[in-house]
Amino acid sequence: MIIDLHNHCELSKNTNLKIIDYIEKAKILGVSVAITEHNHLYNRKGEIDGVSIYAGIEILNDYGDFIVFGAPEDCVKRRNNMIELIEYIHKFGGVIIAAHPFSGYGVCKVNERKIANEIIELVDAIEVYNGKEEREFWIQAEKLARIHKKPCTGGSDAHNINDLFKVGTQFVDRIESINDLVKAIKSGRCEPVLINNRSI
């Protein structure tokens, strides 16, 4: 099962995408999608027209960009204290993923190495494939995940129609709920993949 774990919709800035854009293409490709709005939990989830939708948050703070699943939206209020944020997410059984760690506003780009490594030790997974970033950053992220023994994920980071479903995350098990998603990421029963054999 493939889920594209990093995407934006009506609640995020700098995007004109709507949920119908995802549904139409996901049906053709036979994949599922997570909507990870900037500092907001997407307000739709479950199955829409045969496509599974998973709601998450992309938390933006001074330490970088992080994708969260399985925690309430009010975790965003703790975004300025990274340790408190991670502890709060874990208190609810959620997961936090370091998004595009070496590019954009990634944790390894905006922090000195010591702080970045401390944060990476505390997060649950690393986004290795990001559809908006160059392959050199994927290689760096994969090496980081290997060093820290963290599970790897993939997401397109879609903001416009041309970004849709470039990469995703393949799961060993069928994911029926956010709890399943969280459990699979924590256990590392997933890997980043290209979608539809595209070259980027």
Side-chain angles (χ1 to χ4, degrees), residues 2-3 129 151-154 168-172 188-193:
I2 295 174
I3 307 174
Y129 290 7
C152 302
T153 67
T169 305
Q170 183 154 13
F171 290 88
V172 175
R189 292 176 64 80
C190 58
E191 64 178 351
V193 293

Side-chain angles (χ1 to χ4, degrees), residues 9-185:
C9 214
E10 298 96 340
L11 302 180
S12 292
K13 293 180 180 178
N14 304 319
T15 179
N16 56 9
L17 290 170
K18 301 193 181 309
I19 192 63
I20 189 64
D21 298 317
Y22 290 100
I23 299 302
E24 290 174 351
K25 196 144 197 178
K27 285 175 72 174
I28 293 168
L29 295 171
V31 299
S32 299
V33 62
I35 303 296
T36 52
E37 300 286 44
H38 295 145
N39 294 329
H40 291 284
L41 183 64
Y42 194 56
N43 54 10
R44 297 178 74 176
K45 58 186 177 179
E47 196 170 281
I48 301 175
D49 200 15
V51 174
S52 294
I53 306 293
Y54 303 90
I57 309 169
E58 184 177 17
I59 291 183
L60 314 179
N61 65 22
D62 291 340
Y63 299 96
D65 296 346
F66 301 90
I67 298 167
V68 173
F69 294 104
E73 186 177 55
D74 69 358
C75 68
V76 174
K77 295 176 183 176
R78 292 157 174 82
R79 65 184 176 177
N80 294 322
N81 183 322
M82 199 66 210
I83 303 301
E84 185 181 331
L85 171 66
I86 294 170
E87 287 177 349
Y88 191 75
I89 290 163
H90 287 163
K91 172 185 171 184
F92 285 91
V95 291
I96 180 167
I97 303 165
H100 47 75
F102 290 97
S103 57
Y105 208 73
V107 62
C108 295
K109 186 175 178 184
V110 301
N111 297 288
E112 62 179 51
R113 182 179 292 183
K114 183 177 183 293
I115 292 172
N117 282 334
E118 288 172 357
I119 293 170
I120 291 296
E121 278 298 312
L122 295 173
V123 301
D124 300 293
I126 295 172
E127 183 183 67
V128 170
Y129 290 7
N130 178 285
K132 296 182 77 67
E133 307 303 338
E134 301 294 328
R135 292 289 184 100
E136 64 181 284
F137 298 123
W138 297 12
I139 293 167
Q140 289 177 284
E142 189 172 27
K143 181 179 179 183
L144 183 72
R146 191 166 56 248
I147 290 169
H148 290 272
K149 298 181 172 60
K150 296 292 179 178
C152 302
T153 67
S156 294
D157 199 358
H159 287 75
N160 63 65
I161 201 76
N162 294 322
D163 297 335
L164 292 178
F165 299 112
K166 291 184 175 181
V167 298
T169 305
Q170 183 154 13
F171 290 88
V172 175
D173 308 303
R174 179 77 189 164
I175 307 299
E176 302 284 356
S177 65
I178 284 290
N179 287 340
D180 290 347
L181 181 65
V182 166
K183 183 178 176 182
I185 292 170

